[in-house]
Amino acid sequence: MMATAEHGSGLQIKPMDQFVVKPLFGDGPIEWYTPTNVTLWMGIAILAMVALLVLSTRRRAIVPSRGQSVAELFYGFIHKMVEDIVGHEGLKFFPYVMTLFMFVFLSNFLGLIPTSFTTTSHIAVTGTLALLVFVTVTVVGFVRKGPAFLAMFWVTSAPLALRPILALIEVISYFVRPLSHSVRLGGNLLAGHAVIKVFAGFAGAMGVASFVPVLAIAAMYGLEVLVSAVQAYVFTILTCVYLRDAVGEAHH
Amino acid sequence: MATEATGEAGKAVGMPQLDLSTWPNQIFWLMVTLVVIYFVLSRIALPRIGAVLAERKGTITNDIAAAEELKLKAVAAEKAYGDALASARTEAAKIVAAAKADIQKDLDAATARADAEIAAKVAESEKTIVEIREGAVAAITEVARDTANELVAALGGAADAKTVAAAVTARLKG
């Protein structure tokens, strides 16, 4: 993420280089099974998750250590979110929601390490996550409620004349969900990381005045820390909101 | 597509995000990652943390209940202590009163005995005084008679002892 001073003339900023998917070994074509930097950083995310939630809790202490407190904090945070939004029925989906949250949260933060690769800045990743949620919600909704699941598109609180129009809008918004869900997350991370890289390019080109972009990078980095946490939170809470459509009581 | 989007030496041309040739790779590894995380979470981490939290909640509840119980016990103990203290006080007061009565009785007896002794002594003394007084009177009479006899003899009179004695007795009475 940090700019190695761009030698040569003028501004030669390549903010997108950090997002390139590369094979870990050799320089061959990228097949679906090739271990790439995606593999590496997702693996690191798994290790971080294991360290955070498994290793830190191995003593199962009644009075928790610091690590265990953090693990319990994550558990309690997501557990409460699922229970509050989806309802008690939704707790079956707690491991699922927790998986999404931990993956997005840890990937976002691992992406903040300079020179790292941000898996969640790729639309392929966030899109897959969002489609998973979309498919889960749709399947669970039809399995649990049957055709009554479609009632969520029929806004009974609106005047009868408006209902078909509203139903159309609701259906469109339902199918746009995976798009907004994924682009929100991927776009936020992509934009932030790219902007930092652009500033870093300025710093390389500005000589003595380079402290200005460096300060800007520090400020952006702070913002990106916030964005990483907030976007993980937003992604998870939206997942819960969508799951409520499938699991919870009708709410429109 | 691949050669176009990822130029030589990993330099990006355009947005790597839109390079569809890397999508299968990313999606495959993402699914692997999600499955691993899901199994680690649902098999190990979440049940463990849930159990710890439940256990802690149980422990806290039990401790609070135990604390309530102990508090009740403490109150009962305090009450028992108060009762014991009160009964001990009553007992002590009783003992003090009995001791006082005993002492009073002893004192009264001793006083009475002393009074009797004093009275006896006084009576005896009075008797002795009376005797002494009587003795004194007899002695004085004798001395007076003798003195009178001697005086009469000294003055040259031949005094009849009987007359002198009568005269002295008369004077002493007078």
Side-chain angles (χ1 to χ4, degrees):
Chain A
M1 204 176 344
M2 302 306 285
T4 51
E6 306 277 348
H7 51 269
S9 57
L11 289 173
Q12 233 191 342
I13 304 164
K14 288 168 179 156
M16 291 308 187
D17 281 6
Q18 58 176 324
F19 301 119
V20 173
V21 177
K22 287 174 287 204
L24 275 185
F25 312 104
D27 204 13
I30 296 167
E31 303 293 340
W32 60 268
Y33 52 83
T34 314
T36 56
N37 46 358
V38 177
T39 320
L40 174 68
W41 285 98
M42 285 184 180
I44 293 175
I46 292 177
L47 292 181
M49 187 278 295
V50 168
L52 192 63
L53 295 183
V54 178
L55 295 186
S56 64
T57 58
R58 69 186 179 283
R59 282 178 45 238
R60 296 175 171 81
I62 289 291
V63 179
S65 60
R66 275 179 292 186
Q68 194 183 326
S69 293
V70 173
E72 287 171 7
L73 203 69
F74 276 102
Y75 180 99
F77 182 64
I78 301 300
H79 194 271
K80 188 171 185 307
M81 188 194 287
V82 173
E83 196 168 28
D84 286 354
I85 297 176
V86 190
H88 201 71
E89 285 280 287
L91 285 180
K92 264 178 288 183
F93 295 94
F94 171 53
Y96 177 76
V97 175
M98 189 77 174
T99 302
L100 292 179
F101 176 76
M102 290 315 293
F103 175 74
V104 174
F105 185 86
L106 291 173
S107 297
N108 288 356
F109 272 93
L110 288 171
L112 285 174
I113 299 170
T115 73
S116 74
F117 176 81
T118 317
T119 50
T120 40
S121 68
H122 274 266
I123 196 72
V125 171
T126 60
T128 309
L129 291 172
L131 275 175
L132 271 178
V133 173
F134 180 78
V135 170
T136 308
V137 167
T138 310
V139 169
V140 170
F142 276 113
V143 167
R144 287 182 67 95
K145 296 185 174 176
F149 182 56
L150 294 174
M152 66 179 272
F153 300 120
W154 195 251
V155 187
T156 50
S157 54
L160 190 59
L162 281 176
R163 283 183 204 171
I165 303 165
L166 284 174
L168 186 67
I169 294 171
E170 288 283 332
V171 169
I172 291 171
S173 78
Y174 185 79
F175 282 98
V176 170
R177 273 177 185 182
L179 190 67
S180 63
H181 202 186
S182 58
V183 170
R184 182 182 297 112
L185 173 60
N188 264 291
L189 287 150
L190 164 68
H193 288 232
V195 167
I196 286 180
K197 189 71 182 245
V198 168
F199 278 141
F202 287 157
M206 281 172 72
V208 186
S210 63
F211 69 90
V212 177
V214 169
L215 287 179
I217 290 172
M220 274 303 291
Y221 194 90
L223 187 65
E224 283 305 296
V225 170
L226 192 70
V227 165
S228 292
V230 166
Q231 287 305 320
Y233 173 71
V234 166
F235 190 91
T236 315
I237 207 163
L238 281 173
T239 304
C240 290
V241 169
Y242 299 159
L243 271 174
R244 184 177 57 181
D245 289 340
V247 178
E249 303 302 310
H251 64 99
H252 277 293
Chain B
M1 194 67 174
T3 49
E4 183 197 312
T6 43
E8 2 113 50
K11 295 282 180 252
V13 181
M15 279 179 74
Q17 276 79 3
L18 300 180
D19 179 2
L20 290 177
S21 70
T22 66
W23 280 34
N25 181 271
Q26 296 191 51
I27 292 168
F28 168 68
W29 289 113
L30 172 66
M31 296 316 283
V32 171
T33 306
L34 288 181
V35 167
V36 171
I37 293 181
Y38 183 83
F39 275 98
V40 171
L41 284 179
S42 62
R43 292 291 144 86
I44 306 172
L46 298 184
R48 185 189 288 176
I49 298 173
V52 167
L53 291 179
E55 196 185 337
R56 179 173 311 142
K57 205 175 166 194
T59 307
I60 290 172
T61 314
N62 285 347
D63 283 1
I64 287 174
E68 288 286 335
E69 207 172 298
L70 288 177
K71 198 178 157 195
L72 288 179
K73 269 187 192 159
V75 169
E78 202 190 340
K79 194 169 170 294
Y81 169 76
D83 287 354
L85 196 65
S87 71
R89 274 216 183 100
T90 329
E91 196 77 5
K94 242 184 251 169
I95 290 170
V96 166
K100 251 185 199 158
D102 261 8
I103 290 168
Q104 193 61 47
K105 213 162 65 189
D106 284 358
L107 198 62
D108 285 352
T111 311
R113 209 159 47 236
D115 279 355
E117 255 167 45
I118 290 165
K121 278 257 167 67
V122 167
E124 202 176 330
S125 300
E126 272 172 356
K127 213 165 73 194
T128 315
I129 288 166
V130 168
E131 266 168 22
I132 288 170
R133 192 177 274 160
E134 277 169 5
V137 170
I140 286 166
T141 311
E142 183 141 337
V143 167
R145 201 185 302 139
D146 285 358
T147 309
N149 273 340
E150 290 301 319
L151 272 172
V152 170
L155 290 171
D160 178 10
K162 236 182 231 167
T163 323
V164 171
V168 167
T169 309
R171 285 304 278 205
L172 280 171
K173 274 179 189 162

